[in-house]
Amino acid sequence: MPVPTINAVINFSTGPSFAQAMILGTGILDVNILGDSASIIVDVSDQINYIQTSRGRNALVDQFQTGQLTLRIVDQNGDFNPSNPSGPYYQLLTPMKKVQITATYAGTTYSLFSGFITSYVNTQPKDATEVAYTTIQAVDAFRLFQNAQISTVAGTSAGQLSGARINNILDAISWPATMRDVDTGLTTLQADPGTARTSLAAMETVAQSEYGSVYVDTDGSLVFQDRAVTAGSIGGTVTTFNDNGTGIPYANAIWKLDDSLVFNSAQVSRAGGSPQAAINQPSIDKYFIHSYNLQDLLMQTDAVALDYARAYVASRAETEVTCSGIELDLYTSNYNSGILAALTLDFFDPIRIVTTQPGGSTLDNTLQIFGVATTITPNSFRVFFTTLQPVIDALILNNNIYGTLDYNVLSY
């Protein structure tokens, strides 16, 4: 099978939408956006020298981070030099223009990254026979949310579900409704505090209060997933990677045993409430104290905050040998299943990794994807999935909100 064809386009229009403008009488409904003139979109696919993308979650703070893109293009004419007055894009090459990376395979196009340019770096060699490059750095919409300050959020009230609150925050910064994928949520919240903060911080507080997650997908949309997804998806359809030929082969797997994600003492407090604490003494005796602390969350009662603390400790008190990530080489021969997995799997998708060890033993984990990174050159295409156990154990989640916990194991 052939390898994916990489496409890279730069969109010089303003606004957050990545769709091409549709002039009245032209375009495709539900694909293009309505505008009075076409966006200036430049396809640089045939000039690509190097692409690196990185999207994912910081496991220690349980939050997704701003996605990053490095796009290096061959620029022998200085077309992408912002200081070149004779260049075709002069005065268009400003920060926050849009860039998208996609991959086309077997007639289907898959999105890899959608974001906003932060810098153009031109490399002009002294020797004119050498290749000149422009390196474009870009970030996803998390940067926009971080830059957008809010205070009072209209439409909020006590008892509102977390998904509705996310939508209110997005409304406050005029984020397009077409660029949202927001779950309803399972947690009811206090009224919005009305304090000065960034819209990103406000949404992350809601996500933590829900035990959910907020991130930007490869199409550039804001995604909010509630705890039914963040924990429950581990029970969904599993994609298996195996080095013995029974699953999708992989280039590398990283296995480790450490205490980086052990938490056996948690204190969680809601705004206006009392701190709620939970510990696991056997875990403390074994690993020493590993503390976790969250403050000023928005759940309505201290009881829910206590459930949160108990569930967190119950899910994190122990550690085991875990696969922290696998790398796929899309240039592997006859790799159709691996290519499709690389292009379609994303956050919270469950995957099983099996590795045969020297001596014939095996390591076997079923985990969730929490990070996706790609590295692409003219002669290579590699995808790295960062993997972790669910933030909260699905069995705990499914029993009475956060869990009917084993009080012989937990002490408070």
Side-chain angles (χ1 to χ4, degrees):
M1 294 292 291
V3 296
T5 299
I6 303 303
N7 317 292
V9 297
I10 298 172
N11 185 330
F12 290 111
S13 67
T14 57
S17 176
F18 290 88
Q20 165 66 296
M22 181 179 73
I23 304 172
L24 288 175
T26 67
I28 305 172
L29 289 173
D30 297 324
V31 174
N32 302 116
I33 59 172
L34 187 62
D36 56 7
S37 63
S39 306
I40 299 176
I41 296 181
V42 180
D43 189 329
V44 297
S45 303
D46 61 352
Q47 297 171 259
I48 295 171
N49 173 261
Y50 175 84
I51 294 175
Q52 185 176 62
T53 70
S54 178
R55 305 168 49 247
R57 171 175 163 271
N58 184 321
L60 294 179
V61 298
D62 290 334
Q63 291 180 347
F64 283 90
Q65 306 297 297
T66 303
Q68 309 277 341
L69 164 69
T70 297
L71 169 63
R72 187 168 66 210
I73 58 179
V74 176
D75 190 15
Q76 291 291 72
N77 298 322
D79 291 345
F80 290 90
N81 181 348
S83 299
N84 179 7
S86 61
Y89 315 119
Y90 184 61
Q91 295 185 330
L92 293 174
L93 297 167
T94 59
M96 293 293 107
K97 300 302 185 184
K98 291 166 284 193
V99 58
Q100 280 189 296
I101 309 298
T102 60
T104 301
Y105 180 71
T108 301
T109 297
Y110 303 87
S111 180
L112 301 181
F113 185 89
S114 299
F116 303 86
I117 296 171
T118 56
S119 68
Y120 308 82
V121 179
N122 303 105
T123 303
Q124 302 294 333
K126 186 175 181 180
D127 187 342
T129 63
E130 295 181 9
V131 178
Y133 299 106
T134 293
T135 300
I136 291 172
Q137 301 286 348
V139 295
D140 67 20
F142 258 29
R143 171 69 71 85
L144 306 186
F145 303 141
Q146 178 63 33
N147 290 340
Q149 291 281 329
I150 62 171
S151 53
T152 302
V153 178
T156 65
S157 60
Q160 184 179 41
L161 284 170
S162 52
R165 182 65 54 83
I166 291 288
N167 276 320
N168 287 145
I169 295 168
L170 293 172
D171 290 342
I173 61 171
S174 300
W175 188 253
T178 56
M179 297 180 67
R180 309 180 191 183
D181 181 3
V182 178
D183 286 348
T184 302
L186 301 172
T187 298
T188 56
L189 305 179
Q190 305 176 38
D192 182 78
T195 55
R197 71 265 197 219
T198 69
S199 61
L200 178 59
M203 288 189 288
E204 287 177 337
T205 297
V206 173
Q208 289 177 323
S209 302
E210 165 66 37
Y211 232 142
S213 287
V214 62
Y215 60 89
V216 175
D217 68 14
T218 57
D219 290 319
S221 294
L222 184 283
V223 179
F224 169 68
Q225 293 188 317
D226 62 28
R227 61 180 181 269
V229 174
T230 59
S233 64
I234 193 70
T237 301
V238 176
T239 302
T240 299
F241 297 87
N242 201 316
D243 62 356
N244 66 4
T246 62
I248 300 172
Y250 51 84
N252 293 294
I254 301 173
W255 293 85
K256 68 176 183 179
L257 172 64
D258 66 11
D259 69 339
S260 62
L261 295 180
V262 170
F263 291 99
N264 47 37
S265 174
Q267 182 168 285
V268 176
S269 61
R270 66 187 182 96
S274 301
Q276 303 297 306
I279 65 169
N280 184 305
Q281 192 59 52
S283 176
I284 293 173
D285 294 340
K286 190 174 183 179
Y287 302 116
F288 303 101
I289 292 178
H290 290 59
S291 298
Y292 182 77
N293 190 302
L294 279 177
Q295 301 176 353
D296 297 323
L297 299 185
L298 294 176
M299 60 275 288
Q300 286 191 288
T301 68
D302 285 343
V304 174
L306 178 58
D307 280 341
Y308 193 134
R310 288 174 171 173
Y312 203 88
V313 168
S315 299
R316 299 295 192 92
E318 269 298 337
T319 187
E320 63 181 6
V321 178
T322 301
C323 183
S324 61
I326 59 169
E327 185 177 30
L328 310 182
D329 181 357
L330 274 57
Y331 274 53
T332 301
S333 299
N334 301 315
Y335 203 48
N336 180 64
S337 59
I339 291 173
L340 291 174
L343 298 179
T344 59
L345 294 176
D346 203 20
F347 303 144
F348 299 109
D349 286 333
I351 64 173
R352 180 186 176 203
I353 305 103
V354 184
T355 299
T356 304
Q357 296 292 290
S361 64
T362 59
L363 295 171
D364 190 336
N365 271 174
T366 298
L367 305 161
Q368 289 175 322
I369 293 175
F370 278 107
V372 182
T374 62
T375 303
I376 304 168
T377 71
N379 299 307
S380 67
F381 190 154
R382 288 183 173 250
V383 175
F384 189 87
F385 291 133
T386 301
T387 53
L388 287 169
Q389 295 172 339
V391 176
I392 180 173
D393 189 285
L395 292 176
I396 295 172
L397 171 78
N398 291 332
N399 289 311
N400 190 22
I401 305 179
Y402 290 115
T404 302
L405 303 178
D406 184 351
Y407 286 85
N408 294 318
V409 175
L410 296 172
S411 59
Y412 309 99

